[in-house]
Amino acid sequence: MATATPVINPVEPFLRMERMRHIWRPGCGIGTMVNCFARALLESQVNLDRVAIVSGIGCSGRVAGYLSLDSFHTTHGRAVPFATGLKLANLSLHVVVYSGDGDLFAIGGNHIIHAARRNLDLKIICINNLIYAMTGGQTAPTTPVTALTTTAPYGCYEPAFNLPNLMDAAGAAYVARWTTYHVRQLTRSMSEILKKRGFCFIEILSPCPTLYQRRNRLGDGLDTMKYYKERSKVRHGAPTSEVPLSKDGDIIVGKFVDRERPDYLEVMRGQLQQQLGERFVETEALTCR
Ligand SMILES: Cc1ncc(C[n+]2csc(CCOP(=O)(O)OP(=O)(O)O)c2C)c(N)n1
Ligand code: SF4
Protein backbone atom coordinates (compact mmCIF):
# COMPACT_ATOMS: atom_id res chain seq x y z
CA MET A 1 0.00 0.00 0.00
CA ALA A 2 1.40 3.41 -0.96
CA THR A 3 2.24 5.65 1.97
CA ALA A 4 1.44 9.36 1.93
CA THR A 5 4.47 11.65 1.56
CA PRO A 6 4.72 13.82 4.67
CA VAL A 7 4.07 17.49 3.93
CA ILE A 8 7.05 19.57 4.97
CA ASN A 9 6.26 23.07 6.15
CA PRO A 10 8.95 25.33 4.58
CA VAL A 11 8.99 27.48 7.71
CA GLU A 12 9.68 24.67 10.15
CA PRO A 13 13.46 24.50 9.57
CA PHE A 14 13.65 28.13 10.73
CA LEU A 15 12.04 27.40 14.09
CA ARG A 16 13.42 25.93 17.29
CA MET A 17 10.74 23.25 17.43
CA GLU A 18 11.90 22.10 20.85
CA ARG A 19 10.62 25.46 22.20
CA MET A 20 7.10 24.96 20.87
CA ARG A 21 4.37 25.62 22.01
CA HIS A 22 5.03 29.31 21.75
CA ILE A 23 3.54 31.97 24.06
CA TRP A 24 1.57 33.86 21.37
CA ARG A 25 -2.18 33.61 21.80
CA PRO A 26 -4.72 32.64 19.13
CA GLY A 27 -5.22 35.51 16.69
CA CYS A 28 -1.97 37.23 17.69
CA GLY A 29 -0.15 38.55 14.61
CA ILE A 30 3.43 37.88 15.67
CA GLY A 31 3.55 34.29 14.36
CA THR A 32 2.26 35.43 10.95
CA MET A 33 5.24 37.78 10.69
CA VAL A 34 7.70 35.08 11.64
CA ASN A 35 6.20 32.99 8.86
CA CYS A 36 6.71 35.89 6.39
CA PHE A 37 10.27 36.40 7.61
CA ALA A 38 11.17 32.73 7.13
CA ARG A 39 9.81 32.92 3.58
CA ALA A 40 11.77 36.14 2.97
CA LEU A 41 14.96 34.39 4.07
CA LEU A 42 14.26 31.67 1.49
CA GLU A 43 13.28 34.17 -1.22
CA SER A 44 16.31 36.43 -0.74
CA GLN A 45 18.69 33.45 -0.62
CA VAL A 46 20.70 35.21 2.02
CA ASN A 47 23.46 33.16 3.67
CA LEU A 48 21.80 32.03 6.90
CA ASP A 49 25.16 31.75 8.64
CA ARG A 50 25.48 35.50 8.22
CA VAL A 51 22.06 36.46 9.65
CA ALA A 52 21.74 37.55 13.28
CA ILE A 53 18.44 38.37 14.97
CA VAL A 54 18.27 40.78 17.90
CA SER A 55 15.12 41.32 19.98
CA GLY A 56 14.27 43.43 22.98
CA ILE A 57 11.71 42.46 25.62
CA GLY A 58 7.99 41.98 25.02
CA CYS A 59 5.75 39.46 23.28
CA SER A 60 7.48 40.54 20.07
CA GLY A 61 10.87 40.11 21.70
CA ARG A 62 10.22 36.37 21.85
CA VAL A 63 10.93 36.11 18.13
CA ALA A 64 14.66 35.84 18.79
CA GLY A 65 14.11 32.82 21.01
CA TYR A 66 11.97 30.91 18.53
CA LEU A 67 14.03 31.41 15.36
CA SER A 68 16.64 28.80 14.69
CA LEU A 69 19.29 31.35 13.70
CA ASP A 70 22.00 33.13 15.66
CA SER A 71 19.80 35.25 17.86
CA PHE A 72 20.00 37.47 20.90
CA HIS A 73 17.21 38.28 23.31
CA THR A 74 18.51 41.48 24.89
CA THR A 75 17.25 43.83 27.60
CA HIS A 76 14.18 46.05 27.22
CA GLY A 77 14.81 48.95 24.84
CA ARG A 78 18.40 48.03 24.05
CA ALA A 79 18.02 45.90 20.96
CA VAL A 80 19.34 48.67 18.68
CA PRO A 81 22.53 49.41 20.71
CA PHE A 82 23.22 45.69 20.93
CA ALA A 83 22.65 45.31 17.18
CA THR A 84 24.92 48.30 16.50
CA GLY A 85 27.77 46.68 18.40
CA LEU A 86 27.20 43.38 16.68
CA LYS A 87 27.23 44.95 13.22
CA LEU A 88 30.30 47.09 13.80
CA ALA A 89 32.20 44.15 15.28
CA ASN A 90 31.33 41.90 12.34
CA LEU A 91 30.53 43.84 9.19
CA SER A 92 29.70 40.74 7.20
CA LEU A 93 26.53 40.12 9.22
CA HIS A 94 22.97 40.95 8.21
CA VAL A 95 21.73 42.21 11.56
CA VAL A 96 17.93 42.16 11.92
CA VAL A 97 16.23 43.77 14.91
CA TYR A 98 12.81 42.29 15.64
CA SER A 99 10.95 44.13 18.38
CA GLY A 100 7.79 45.84 19.58
CA ASP A 101 6.65 49.45 19.23
CA GLY A 102 7.10 49.99 22.98
CA ASP A 103 10.56 48.50 23.08
CA LEU A 104 11.79 50.42 20.02
CA PHE A 105 10.03 53.78 20.43
CA ALA A 106 9.42 54.28 24.17
CA ILE A 107 12.35 53.08 26.28
CA GLY A 108 14.47 52.55 23.13
CA GLY A 109 13.33 55.72 21.33
CA ASN A 110 16.59 57.60 21.40
CA HIS A 111 18.62 54.64 20.10
CA ILE A 112 16.50 54.09 17.02
CA ILE A 113 16.51 57.73 15.87
CA HIS A 114 20.29 57.91 16.14
CA ALA A 115 20.76 54.62 14.29
CA ALA A 116 18.59 56.01 11.48
CA ARG A 117 20.47 59.33 11.52
CA ARG A 118 23.79 57.52 11.16
CA ASN A 119 22.35 55.21 8.50
CA LEU A 120 23.70 52.16 10.25
CA ASP A 121 23.30 49.03 8.17
CA LEU A 122 20.55 47.52 10.35
CA LYS A 123 17.21 46.00 9.37
CA ILE A 124 14.46 46.92 11.83
CA ILE A 125 11.17 45.02 11.92
CA CYS A 126 8.78 46.74 14.30
CA ILE A 127 5.71 44.85 15.43
CA ASN A 128 3.16 47.52 16.24
CA ASN A 129 0.22 46.23 18.30
CA LEU A 130 -0.43 49.80 19.57
CA ILE A 131 0.21 48.96 23.26
CA TYR A 132 2.66 47.35 25.69
CA ALA A 133 1.20 43.86 25.44
CA MET A 134 3.45 41.69 27.55
CA THR A 135 2.95 43.81 30.66
CA GLY A 136 -0.85 43.96 30.37
CA GLY A 137 -1.91 46.45 27.70
CA GLN A 138 -0.63 49.86 28.80
CA THR A 139 -0.54 52.98 26.61
CA ALA A 140 2.47 53.12 24.25
CA PRO A 141 3.81 56.03 22.16
CA THR A 142 1.85 54.49 19.26
CA THR A 143 -1.56 54.21 20.96
CA PRO A 144 -4.11 56.16 18.89
CA VAL A 145 -5.98 59.05 20.49
CA THR A 146 -9.28 57.85 22.09
CA ALA A 147 -8.20 54.17 22.17
CA LEU A 148 -8.77 52.41 25.49
CA THR A 149 -5.86 50.84 27.34
CA THR A 150 -5.30 49.72 30.93
CA THR A 151 -3.64 53.05 31.69
CA ALA A 152 -6.12 55.12 29.65
CA PRO A 153 -9.49 53.74 30.74
CA TYR A 154 -11.27 56.89 29.46
CA GLY A 155 -9.34 56.93 26.20
CA CYS A 156 -5.81 57.88 25.24
CA TYR A 157 -5.34 61.63 24.86
CA GLU A 158 -1.62 61.78 23.98
CA PRO A 159 -0.79 62.20 20.28
CA ALA A 160 0.81 59.06 18.85
CA PHE A 161 4.04 58.84 16.87
CA ASN A 162 3.72 58.45 13.11
CA LEU A 163 6.52 55.87 12.91
CA PRO A 164 7.25 56.03 9.15
CA ASN A 165 7.46 59.83 9.37
CA LEU A 166 9.78 59.69 12.37
CA MET A 167 12.11 57.21 10.66
CA ASP A 168 12.01 59.12 7.37
CA ALA A 169 12.87 62.41 9.10
CA ALA A 170 15.72 60.75 11.01
CA GLY A 171 17.27 59.56 7.72
CA ALA A 172 16.27 55.92 7.17
CA ALA A 173 17.17 54.53 3.75
CA TYR A 174 14.06 52.37 3.51
CA VAL A 175 10.67 52.80 5.19
CA ALA A 176 7.57 50.66 4.68
CA ARG A 177 4.38 49.79 6.51
CA TRP A 178 2.22 46.70 6.15
CA THR A 179 -0.29 44.85 8.32
CA THR A 180 -0.43 41.15 9.11
CA TYR A 181 -3.11 40.89 6.42
CA HIS A 182 -0.53 41.82 3.72
CA VAL A 183 1.56 38.68 3.93
CA ARG A 184 2.86 38.68 0.34
CA GLN A 185 3.78 42.37 0.31
CA LEU A 186 5.37 42.03 3.72
CA THR A 187 7.44 39.03 2.65
CA ARG A 188 8.62 41.00 -0.40
CA SER A 189 9.55 44.00 1.75
CA MET A 190 11.47 41.80 4.18
CA SER A 191 13.29 40.19 1.30
CA GLU A 192 14.14 43.65 -0.12
CA ILE A 193 15.63 44.93 3.10
CA LEU A 194 17.77 41.83 3.51
CA LYS A 195 19.44 42.87 0.25
CA LYS A 196 19.55 46.63 0.80
CA ARG A 197 22.38 48.44 2.49
CA GLY A 198 21.68 51.02 5.16
CA PHE A 199 19.08 51.58 7.86
CA CYS A 200 15.84 49.89 6.82
CA PHE A 201 12.59 50.05 8.75
CA ILE A 202 9.34 48.11 8.36
CA GLU A 203 6.37 48.82 10.60
CA ILE A 204 3.86 45.98 10.79
CA LEU A 205 0.44 46.56 12.31
CA SER A 206 -0.39 43.44 14.24
CA PRO A 207 -3.39 42.49 16.36
CA CYS A 208 -3.25 41.83 20.07
CA PRO A 209 -6.79 40.46 20.37
CA THR A 210 -6.46 39.76 24.09
CA LEU A 211 -5.56 43.25 25.20
CA TYR A 212 -6.11 45.87 22.48
CA GLN A 213 -8.84 44.51 20.21
CA ARG A 214 -11.04 43.21 23.04
CA ARG A 215 -10.82 46.38 25.11
CA ASN A 216 -11.64 48.50 22.05
CA ARG A 217 -14.47 46.18 20.91
CA LEU A 218 -12.71 45.31 17.67
CA GLY A 219 -13.40 41.57 17.84
CA ASP A 220 -10.93 38.73 17.51
CA GLY A 221 -7.95 38.03 15.25
CA LEU A 222 -10.09 37.19 12.24
CA ASP A 223 -12.19 40.36 12.67
CA THR A 224 -8.94 42.33 12.71
CA MET A 225 -7.85 40.76 9.41
CA LYS A 226 -11.16 41.90 7.89
CA TYR A 227 -10.66 45.33 9.44
CA TYR A 228 -7.13 45.60 8.00
CA LYS A 229 -8.41 44.48 4.59
CA GLU A 230 -11.21 47.07 4.56
CA ARG A 231 -9.27 50.00 5.97
CA SER A 232 -5.91 49.60 4.23
CA LYS A 233 -5.01 51.73 1.21
CA VAL A 234 -1.80 50.94 -0.65
CA ARG A 235 0.06 54.18 -1.48
CA HIS A 236 3.65 53.49 -2.44
CA GLY A 237 5.78 56.62 -2.24
CA ALA A 238 3.21 58.50 -0.12
CA PRO A 239 4.78 61.40 1.79
CA THR A 240 5.27 59.99 5.29
CA SER A 241 3.68 63.09 6.82
CA GLU A 242 0.41 61.84 5.24
CA VAL A 243 0.38 58.39 6.84
CA PRO A 244 -0.44 58.86 10.54
CA LEU A 245 -2.62 56.19 12.11
CA SER A 246 -5.82 56.96 13.97
CA LYS A 247 -8.18 54.74 15.90
CA ASP A 248 -10.78 54.24 13.15
CA GLY A 249 -9.30 55.89 10.06
CA ASP A 250 -7.70 54.48 6.92
CA ILE A 251 -4.42 52.60 7.25
CA ILE A 252 -2.02 53.80 4.58
CA VAL A 253 0.40 50.99 3.71
CA GLY A 254 3.18 50.59 1.17
CA LYS A 255 6.81 51.37 0.59
CA PHE A 256 7.22 55.06 1.38
CA VAL A 257 10.98 55.58 1.23
CA ASP A 258 13.71 53.76 -0.73
CA ARG A 259 16.75 55.97 -1.16
CA GLU A 260 20.49 55.67 -1.48
CA ARG A 261 22.52 57.38 1.20
CA PRO A 262 26.09 56.58 2.24
CA ASP A 263 25.94 54.38 5.28
CA TYR A 264 27.82 54.92 8.53
CA LEU A 265 30.76 52.79 7.51
CA GLU A 266 31.23 54.46 4.11
CA VAL A 267 31.20 57.90 5.73
CA MET A 268 33.69 56.83 8.39
CA ARG A 269 35.95 55.27 5.76
CA GLY A 270 35.85 58.41 3.60
CA GLN A 271 36.70 60.56 6.59
CA LEU A 272 39.67 58.38 7.54
CA GLN A 273 40.95 58.38 3.97
CA GLN A 274 40.73 62.16 3.80
CA GLN A 275 42.40 62.69 7.14
CA LEU A 276 45.13 60.10 6.82
CA GLY A 277 45.89 60.45 3.11
CA GLU A 278 48.66 58.02 2.17
CA ARG A 279 48.79 56.69 5.70
CA PHE A 280 45.29 55.23 5.27
CA VAL A 281 45.47 51.44 5.30
CA GLU A 282 42.66 49.44 3.74
CA THR A 283 41.67 46.82 6.29
CA GLU A 284 39.27 43.96 6.05
CA ALA A 285 37.31 45.45 8.92
CA LEU A 286 36.51 48.54 6.85
CA THR A 287 35.63 46.91 3.55
CA CYS A 288 34.02 43.59 4.44
CA ARG A 289 30.31 43.13 3.58
C1 LIG B 1 13.99 48.11 32.01
C2 LIG B 1 12.62 47.50 31.90
N1 LIG B 1 11.54 48.28 32.04
C3 LIG B 1 10.32 47.77 31.92
C4 LIG B 1 10.15 46.42 31.66
C5 LIG B 1 8.77 45.85 31.56
N2 LIG B 1 8.38 45.57 30.18
C6 LIG B 1 8.55 44.36 29.64
S1 LIG B 1 7.97 44.26 28.08
C7 LIG B 1 7.46 45.88 28.14
C8 LIG B 1 6.72 46.54 27.00
C9 LIG B 1 6.66 45.73 25.77
O1 LIG B 1 5.92 46.40 24.80
P1 LIG B 1 6.28 46.24 23.27
O2 LIG B 1 7.71 46.50 23.05
O3 LIG B 1 5.35 47.08 22.50
O4 LIG B 1 6.09 44.69 23.00
P2 LIG B 1 4.76 43.79 23.00
O5 LIG B 1 4.74 43.06 24.29
O6 LIG B 1 3.60 44.72 22.81
O7 LIG B 1 4.96 42.88 21.84
C10 LIG B 1 7.75 46.47 29.36
C11 LIG B 1 7.42 47.87 29.74
C12 LIG B 1 11.32 45.63 31.51
N3 LIG B 1 11.24 44.33 31.20
N4 LIG B 1 12.53 46.19 31.63
S1 SF4 C 1 -0.66 39.57 24.74
FE1 SF4 C 1 -1.19 40.21 22.68
S2 SF4 C 1 0.76 40.50 21.59
FE2 SF4 C 1 1.15 39.25 23.44
S3 SF4 C 1 0.97 37.12 22.74
FE3 SF4 C 1 -1.01 37.71 23.53
S4 SF4 C 1 -2.13 38.40 21.71
FE4 SF4 C 1 0.05 38.41 21.18
Side-chain angles (χ1 to χ4, degrees):
M1 199 171 73
T3 50
T5 321
V7 179
I8 298 180
N9 179 342
V11 176
E12 226 173 271
F14 293 95
L15 301 176
R16 296 180 204 250
M17 294 308 287
E18 70 282 8
R19 296 211 175 155
M20 299 295 134
R21 298 169 55 194
H22 54 73
I23 64 157
W24 301 317
R25 294 173 192 142
C28 176
I30 304 174
T32 309
M33 286 173 259
V34 171
N35 191 317
C36 293
F37 186 64
R39 288 168 199 274
L41 289 170
L42 287 172
E43 204 175 287
S44 62
Q45 299 189 327
V46 63
N47 178 355
L48 297 178
D49 288 337
R50 305 252 58 88
V51 177
I53 311 295
V54 184
S55 292
I57 301 292
C59 298
S60 327
R62 292 295 174 108
V63 170
Y66 294 135
L67 280 172
S68 185
L69 293 164
D70 285 333
S71 53
F72 303 89
H73 193 190
T74 68
T75 48
H76 189 39
R78 310 296 173 232
V80 170
F82 192 96
T84 302
L86 193 60
K87 176 70 194 181
L88 294 182
N90 188 343
L91 301 171
S92 68
L93 291 180
H94 299 273
V95 180
V96 181
V97 173
Y98 231 114
S99 224
D101 49 306
D103 187 82
L104 290 170
F105 288 96
I107 187 171
N110 84 59
H111 303 303
I112 197 162
I113 57 174
H114 292 292
R117 174 179 66 83
R118 295 177 176 131
N119 200 19
L120 280 159
D121 187 25
L122 300 178
K123 319 297 152 202
I124 314 280
I125 297 174
C126 174
I127 301 168
N128 186 1
N129 52 24
L130 309 172
I131 45 164
Y132 297 164
M134 179 164 265
T135 42
Q138 294 88 354
T139 299
T142 46
T143 307
V145 170
T146 72
L148 302 176
T149 72
T150 43
T151 48
Y154 301 107
C156 175
Y157 48 85
E158 294 177 27
F161 273 146
N162 169 350
L163 300 184
N165 191 227
L166 182 59
M167 291 291 86
D168 178 16
Y174 183 107
V175 179
R177 175 196 282 145
W178 297 107
T179 75
T180 48
Y181 169 74
H182 299 90
V183 287
R184 286 185 197 282
Q185 296 93 326
L186 175 57
T187 304
R188 204 172 312 129
S189 257
M190 288 173 162
S191 176
E192 266 176 22
I193 64 170
L194 285 166
K195 290 183 267 180
K196 186 171 170 81
R197 191 165 178 162
F199 184 95
C200 299
F201 176 80
I202 305 177
E203 175 189 14
I204 309 163
L205 270 187
S206 172
C208 171
T210 332
L211 296 166
Y212 184 83
Q213 266 68 23
R214 191 169 58 184
R215 185 163 279 112
N216 286 284
R217 301 189 189 284
L218 292 167
D220 60 14
L222 186 59
D223 293 318
T224 311
M225 288 302 113
K226 290 180 189 154
Y227 181 86
Y228 286 163
K229 181 177 178 208
E230 281 160 18
R231 295 294 168 95
S232 296
K233 305 266 179 300
V234 180
R235 278 184 61 197
H236 293 299
T240 55
S241 57
E242 295 178 10
V243 304
L245 295 171
S246 60
K247 183 164 174 289
D248 305 305
D250 285 348
I251 304 169
I252 309 298
V253 294
K255 177 164 70 170
F256 306 131
V257 176
D258 189 353
R259 61 185 159 216
E260 297 307 319
R261 229 192 108 201
D263 79 352
Y264 181 77
L265 184 77
E266 279 172 72
V267 176
M268 183 174 77
R269 197 169 167 280
Q271 166 84 351
L272 283 175
Q273 240 169 349
Q274 204 183 8
Q275 296 284 318
L276 297 175
E278 286 179 358
R279 285 179 295 134
F280 176 75
V281 182
E282 200 69 66
T283 66
E284 200 189 338
L286 284 172
T287 51
C288 186
R289 265 295 285 160

